[in-house]
Every structure is written in C-alpha cells, then in structure tokens.
Amino acid sequence: MLEKSFDHKAIEPMLYAAWEEDGAFAAGATGGDPFTIMIPPPNVTGSLHMGHALTFTLQDTLVRWRRMQGRDALWQPGTDHAGIATQMVVERQLAAKGESRAALGRDAFLARVWQWKAESGGTITTQLRRLGASLDWPRERFTMDDGLSAAVREVFVTLFNQGLIYRDRRLVNWDPKFRSAISDLEVENKEIRGSLWYISYPVEGSDERLVVATTRPETMLGDSAVAVNPEDARYTHLVGKFVVLPLTGRRVPIIADSYSDPEKGTGAVKITPAHDFNDFAVGERHSLPMPSILDRDARITLGEIEDELAHVAGVADPDFVRTLAGLSREDARKAIVAELERLEFLVKIEPHTNQVPHGDRSDAVIEPLLTVQWYCRADVLAAPAIAAVEDGRVKFVPKQWENTFFAWMRDIKPWCISRQLWWGHRIPAWYGPDGQVFVAKTADEAAALALAAYGEVLEITQDDDVLDTWFSSGLWPFSTLGWPDKTADLARYYPTDVLVTGFDIIFFWVARMLMMGLHFMGDVPFRTIAIHGLVRDERGQKMSKSKGNVIDPLTLIDEYGADALRFAVLQQTGPGRDIKLGPTLVASGRGFVTKLWNAARFCEMNGVAPVAGFDPASVTSPLCRWLLAETNTAIVSATAALEAYRFDDYAFACYQFTWGSFCDWFVELAKPVLNGSDEAAAAELRATAAHVLGLTIRLLQPAIPFATDALWEGMGFGAARSLISAPWPEPMVLSNVAAAQAEIAWVIRLISAVRELRGEMNVPPATLAPVFLADASRQTLDRAARYEDAVRRLARANQVGPLVGTIPTGAAQIMLDEATIVLPLAGLIDLTAERKRLTRDHDRARDDADKLERKLAGADFVARAKPDVVEDTRLRAQTARDEQARLAAALARLGAG
RNA sequence: GGGCGCUUAGCUCAGCGGGAGAGCACUACCUUGACACGGUAGGGGUCACAGGUUCAAUCCCUGUAGCGCCCACCA
C-alpha cells in the first residue's frame, strides 16, 4: 500500500543511499553509446547555492533521461580547488584566530588549506546527493589530485616548448588586496562618481602653463610626459618643449601622440606609463621612462624617483613628496590635491563619473602594475576554437551565444596565467642563479635541463607563483579521464556530449576548455553547449547577500523535497531565460508531485496493477484508447523537448498530461466504469491505467526521481530501484484512434458546457438537473448513453437522454455541434439572465460571421490567400452563421421577457 | 562608445503571418467515496509606440522610447 502522502524527508535520503550502494549511476554498466556530461566542478569548499541547484538539476535530468534510453551515461563528478576563493576563506579563518598566512609560511599554510579541504570538501558533494544528482561518485576528481596536477604540468611544459607560454614584463591588473595579478576577465568595471582635477604644469622656459585634467592626481609622481594631439592647433607650438612637474620637479617632454583626444579634458593628457594601460602604450611608442610609484599594496613608493628628488629645485618640494611615501592611493590623492591647491597649481575640480576597475573577488580597486608574469598565447589557441564553433562541431544552445563567444575570441588578449598565491598548481618553472629559466615537469628534469645547457649543476629554485585556477579547469574534460595517459575512458568518453553551464563562465571556462581540448586532444571537448540563465528570486531580483534575498536550496529541499525543487527548476528553464525561483514556485512543484502520488493511490485503491503481456493495440474502449493517444502525445512532446534542451516544455508536457488528461478527465470518466458491473470493461481500464501510469512514471523519472522510484516499486512496476534503468517510453503503435479521440472530446465538451452554463446561471452544485439532447444524431445519443453515469456525476445531472417532445419554455439551451443541449431549469434560473446570455452569444456569433464574410468578400483575399485558409474561413463563417440562427431560435423559444 | 536581448492578462512567461494562451494571483461556489498540496466556474489584455511590407501583422522590416545584460582606453 502506498502511504497517504509522499514523505520526502524520510524517503529521499534513503533512496539515494540505496541508489549509490547499487552502483546505479556507474558508467559502463551498459554497452550503449556513451553519453557524457562533465560536471562544472564546484568550489571544493563551497556549498550548494541556487545556481548549482539549477545547473545540476538540468544535467541530472539529461543524464537520467539518456540512461533510460540505454546510453552508457557518465556524469563525471568532481570539485575545483578555486585558488583565490579558497585561499581567501582560509586566510579569513586564520585572521579570526589572530594568525596570518605570512606568519605561517608557505608549507604550513598549505597544510591548513588541505586540512580545510578535508573538513569541508564533503559539504557540496553531500548536498549534491540531497538534490538527487546521479553522479558516478567513485570517479570523483579534484583539480589538485596527483593525476590532474600531472596533466597541468604536462600542458604547461608543452605549451612553453611550443612558444605558447612565455614570460613578460608588462602592465598587469594588480589586485592590491590579494597582492596578485589577475586576468582581464577577473576585472569588473564599476561606475564611480569621482572628480576630474585640472592641474597646471609650468612650461619650461616660459610663463605659459599647460593644463591637464586627470582623475588620478596621485599618479603625477610617475608622469613621464604630457601628450597632445598632433592635429590640435592649440598646442602645436608646445610640442618638443618640456613641462616641469609640480612637486617632484621632473622635466617631462610635451609629445604629440594621437592617443590624446582634443575633446576630452583639456586636450593635453598626462602620461604615467607604469600605472595606466594606455599610457603604457604611449610610453612604449615614445621610449619614455616608466617609473613605478606604487608598490604591491598600492601604496606610494618613491624608490624609483628617489634619485631625482635629491637633485631638484625650483617648483619642487622634495620634503613634501617624501611625506607621501607609504600612503594609500586615496590618502596620497588628498594630500597632493591639497598641496597643489596651496601652491596654486590646481585650476579647478569638476564632478566626474568614470569606470573604475575592481577585482571581482576582492572588490579592491585594481592597479595597473609593471611586473613579470607568465602569459599564454590565447590568440593562437583561439583560432581552432573559433573554427569549431563556426563549422558546427560545437553548437551553442541557444545559438545567440555564439555571437558573444566570437566577439570575445576574435579579439582575445594574452592570458595572464600566473598568480601570486600559494594555493594552486605551482608553476613548473625553475630559475638559475642568474635568472635562467628552466621549464620542466619536475625539479629533476629542470636540473637536467640546466646541466645540459650550462654543463654544470646549477642551484635552481622553483617559481613561487601558482597558475590561474581556470588553467586547470580548462583541462577538466580530459584530465578527469586520465590524460595524459591514453586511457580507455578517454577513448570512450571524450569528446563529451553536452556541457551545461551559465553564460557567466563562457569566457572563463567554456572558451578555455575548447582551446585546450582542441590543442591537446585534437577534438572538441563537447558537442553542445547548453547555456542557461541566472537564478533570481520570485520577483526577478538577482539574489545577493546584501539584498538579503538569497534562498538556500537545502532549505527548500527540507521543506518541499528535492523532487519539488527540481520540478520547479525545470518548469522555469526556458532557453536563454533567467530562472525565477522561490517558495511559491517550489510549493507548486510539490503540488504536482503530490498530485501524481494521489493519482497513483487512486489507481492502487481501484485495483490497478501492471498486467503482464498488456498490448495497447488490443484496447477497445474509446476512453482507454483516448488515454493511450494522449499518452503518446505526451511521450512525443516530452522527448522532443529534452532533445531540444527545452526543459520547460518537458515539464509542461508531463504536467499537462498527468494533471489534465490523466487526473481531470481519465480518472473522473473512469470512476463509473470501475464501479460498474461490466467486469471486462473495468479490467481493460485497469490494465490500461496501469500501463499508462507506468509510462508516466518513466517519463517523469528524470525530473522527479525520488517519488517516481517509490511509486515504481510501490505499485509493482518493477523491482526496487529498477526504474533508473527502465526503458524510456516510446510512442505506442495505435491504429484509428481518431474516433476514440472525437468521442471523448465530445464528452468533455458536453460536461464542460453544462458546467459552464450552471456556473453562469448560479445553479448550486447541490441542485441536480436533467440534461436533454434535442436534434441529436444517433451517434450523439449513443455517446450520451454510454457516458451517462459520468455526465451525471461530473455535470451534476440527475437524468441524461434525448429530449422527448419540444423544448420547454424557460429551459436553458446550449449549442453543441448539431445538437441542442436542453436544461429544463425553469424556476431555477433567472430568465432575464438566460436571455442575456443567449443574446450575448448570439451577437458574438453574428459579429464573427459578419467579420468573416466581409473578409471573404474582399477579392484580394480569395485570390491571394492560401486555398486552405480561404476554405477554413468559409467554414468558420458558415458555422458562425448557423450558430447565430440557432441561438436566435433558442431566444425565441425562451419567450419574451 | 560597441554589441546582444527584452517589452503579450495584476505577476511570471509561452506563442505565432490568417480564430489572443498557460501557470500563479484574484473572485464565487464546493469538506462529491485519490488529492483542500484538491475540485468547478468567473473576471481580466488597443500583444510598448510610430511607420512600412502583405490580401492579412502581436508575429516580418525600419525607427522611437523604456528596461536588462555583455564588452570597451580610469583625461
């Protein structure tokens, strides 16, 4: 016996444990074609959030569906070491205990991070199990596993030897909070309301002053030129002369460079090559000195200008400048502005908004800084990736994301891959005493390289830096399968089938996997990229801690069940659309699960049980045949939807069928049969119901795996937990279902029409009324007779049959096909209201007919429109006109008010 | 500054070159023997605006407005 309701709290964890124990998610269990999805590895120390719930529900749905189709499904689990994020968490913990990374030292710090990983690394995987994710757990990988680390070293060394990884000293985005370089992608520009300061620079050997505008006055300590546009007549006479910088007294040239925009500021722009990307380019063009005046904490440092400070005079004030050393950018700015004002070099201050780069994780203002870093020639690697998308070897769903992808890839910049962190893959490069570089997979190999190159044993030390986290996640589709070894798994499961992920990591991750996969495997890492939206709250607001609208998926699972959450997610997931989620929607998901559960209970209570050898083609009753036809429609729609990654359509097809077709109509129409005396009819109905219920459960397994599994076993469809590998439903072969469909459709229309009328006339449900048919065909009368019990029950009728005699005055009348349904409600209904109703319907029919006839009267329409459209319009016009006539007659019968 | 997307019922969204849809919310009624996490019925929309193409436009094209997202050199 099924329980009265599905107790998700008790059943879900129990079932999952049993699945796992069974090895139900293990790849390689069938000989079918592989179907592979790589999990986007979540941060090992993270916990499940709504974005995870979304993406993993979609992936699990696809995997479960393909597994039922007989595919050898592999959903590869694993986690990411997430360099910055994890190091940040552990550093915060240290700080809370009064410790610090620096005090601990590298090895001890890393030991702490591993310890933290051991403690919290299981959180996310436990939570994935709560969601029902059918991952092949024994294959779980971590990006810093030995095998994956070996893959990283292999890739680094290979790319280095191919000239695709190199070291360079240039400006990087420096995050002063993490004291590390970050890549362009990790920079977020934020609009900041600030000021534009106009500063006058005295022109050497003249009384003239050149005014520059800047948003960063503090960088003037590092100015090495002022640039004007060569076309700018205001300044041509100054090009080649020098200005003397206030404060430092440095002489810097006035140069002509087209970078200077006459429209912006004063048209003269100060050039600080070491602290601005554009200025750096100008500096390179004009061979300018590039003094850095900010250190790795973004504090003022005077080291590189100390010498000149000792030798200046005049406008300069070395003593003031020295007071700036060690100040933050913000403090230095204030001090410098105040000093400039005091010395009357400050011309004016204007309010100004501009885009200021911030670190996406630290939220610190990024400082362009001149440092030596490792770079990857992304442009070279990008070309094959672009080609793969262009020629369709990889498809984005929805396709529009290809534009975004191309735009970025075609203009890709060198990828800065080194990070000044400790947690991550240490760069496999060693340096000799004179800065010689040896790139190798191990220290021994590096030493051997050094020996070979210099003929002596060199003292070599490994690079302190680690690699960008995305460097290792870019290898995920093949490193998890054993690469660089040529494993059987690699041969079988690569390329994977589909990557499911959010648009926010197309550049970070998707593009890198494509580049690395093509370069090292010679084939794309996945054939389809299914991009989903962002999870928002029920009002469409982005979830954020500061807004306080973050919903914890685990809370929702506790309250409503994983099935409910999953179903709600699927219902919301349309292509390229953000997903709205919250308690109301998840509650409605639970409502659906409950509905299915209760439908099954109803079946069980009525003796519905699977019948061995049941053949859908042999079913005779129209109701059963109609149900089978409806089931086929659901199977076709659901399958097509999943094939197209239309998760919302999949959920809707299942929902509509289960709730609308099965519960609302089939079950209700079946009740009289089940309670009736025709045993053969009841038996056929039970067998059909069982068959259809079994198909429904299978259709829904990918969406709501827990409840369906419980039903599958509880109703005797199969052995415990055999649903996971039960075959995915195929449309049944049914012949000539049209007659059955027409018949049941008619019954539904009859019942609905009577209900509608009673509702409109405010006839209380407790009042039973006869339903008579006038002008009805033989077929209609037969149908009415066959479904009399159902109509009585569902249309609150105490009698159903042909009208004897003429339509009585005061009876309500409904036009249904050729027949007029007569409800002799004299005394029960308000004749005025009925007259009003009939008049309204009459006028509506007349207006429709008028409109359609007008359309048909137009010569162009008949001549140019498609013949079937014209024919259809004629038919509709005729029908409307007939209906109008019959309603007019009905009104006449009702008598005058 | 460049690019992409959106604008349809109170809300969230489908849809589509020829008859305006769903879910939720709302209103009324119903404790009918699977389910009140239920049932039945109902109200509610000039399909953002302006042009154009077409026999026919919510749908295609152009423009306008508003909103959202991504990218971009901090004067």
Side-chain angles (χ1 to χ4, degrees), chain A residues 65-86:
Chain A
W65 164 55
R66 292 297 193 185
R67 192 181 284 126
M68 290 178 83
Q69 284 188 326
R71 302 283 290 271
D72 172 13
L74 166 59
W75 189 12
Q76 171 67 49
T79 49
D80 193 280
H81 68 279
I84 290 182
T86 306

Side-chain angles (χ1 to χ4, degrees), chain A residues 187 605 792 863:
Chain A
V187 175
M605 287 172 189
R792 280 172 182 255

Side-chain angles (χ1 to χ4, degrees), chain A residues 248-267:
Chain A
T248 59
R250 183 187 309 130
R251 280 173 84 237
V252 304
I254 299 166
I255 58 175
D257 193 290
S258 58
Y259 161 64
S260 181
D261 180 351
E263 305 290 312
K264 284 187 182 169
T266 62

Side-chain angles (χ1 to χ4, degrees), chain A residues 415-466:
Chain A
W415 173 17
C416 175
I417 52 175
S418 45
R419 297 288 179 277
Q420 287 65 52
L421 305 173
W422 287 348
W423 177 240
H425 296 101
R426 196 154 168 188
I427 291 175
W430 282 262
Y431 304 108
D434 300 319
Q436 307 97 315
V437 180
F438 308 101
V439 171
K441 282 181 267 184
T442 64
D444 288 348
E445 285 176 33
L449 284 179
L451 183 63
Y454 293 93
E456 55 175 321
V457 175
L458 296 183
E459 180 88 1
I460 55 171
T461 52
Q462 188 173 3
D463 196 311
D464 280 329
D465 293 347
V466 301

Side-chain angles (χ1 to χ4, degrees), chain A residues 173-186:
Chain A
N173 297 299
W174 186 264
D175 187 318
K177 185 170 165 196
F178 293 140
R179 295 169 57 96
S180 174
I182 58 175
S183 74
D184 299 344
L185 287 175
E186 291 160 275

